[in-house]
Amino acid sequence: MTTGYVVNLDNGHNGYCFEVLRGITYCGCTFDPETVERERYAIGRDDDHPHTTLCFDCSKADTRKVRGAARGGSA
């Protein structure tokens, strides 16, 4: 099963970052989605799957607040 996209940016965050909006991650990094490989985020994966290692900020983000702020509203 998959949900959303993750990207492995060379940004020192030591893991995959979640994409909240096209070209923007939960942790606030921006990237060009045309040049960066976006992967469908795999859930229900085993412990050694690469998506198990997530950017700390992305893994702790309150997704409702992040999406609400990105859309100009509140959660």
Side-chain angles (χ1 to χ4, degrees):
M1 187 185 320
T2 61
T3 179
Y5 289 95
V6 292
V7 291
N8 192 3
L9 303 173
D10 186 19
N11 59 4
H13 288 198
N14 299 322
Y16 282 84
C17 295
F18 280 99
E19 183 181 47
V20 62
L21 296 171
R22 188 164 168 82
I24 303 172
T25 65
Y26 285 150
C27 61
C29 292
T30 58
F31 64 93
D32 181 353
E34 301 300 320
T35 61
V36 173
E37 183 179 352
R38 297 161 63 233
E39 299 178 26
R40 296 285 283 168
Y41 179 64
I43 58 174
R45 60 204 178 277
D46 55 25
D47 290 340
D48 63 346
H49 192 284
H51 296 175
T52 301
T53 305
L54 299 173
C55 160
F56 179 79
D57 292 333
C58 284
S59 69
K60 300 301 178 193
D62 181 329
T63 58
R64 284 189 187 166
K65 287 183 181 178
V66 172
R67 287 182 179 172
R71 293 178 179 147
S74 60

